[in-house]
Amino acid sequence: MLLAAYVATLAPGLTMWDAGEFIAAVRTFGIPHQPGTPLYVTLARAWTLALPFVDTALATNLFSAVCTAAAGGVLAAFVAR
């Protein structure tokens, strides 16, 4: 349910603040800024390579939505315990 809400409201391209910087870092496999978030960039880069026909910005935004929905699911499981 949470993932459906995120996908329904997903930005198709660049947005304000750090999103453009992170999308560029994923595209070039670079370091966005300190501390660099190497795990996010590495996982997002692998995600975008697995989706070759999707624009990098859209794929990165989708990756963020999936990660956020997964974190929400983990939190719900902890609260339910």
Side-chain angles (χ1 to χ4, degrees), residues 21-30 41 45 48 54-57 60:
E21 188 176 1
F22 281 108
I23 291 168
V26 168
R27 175 85 176 169
T28 62
F29 204 49
V41 172
R45 176 72 175 166
T48 59
V54 179
D55 181 55
T56 303
T60 304

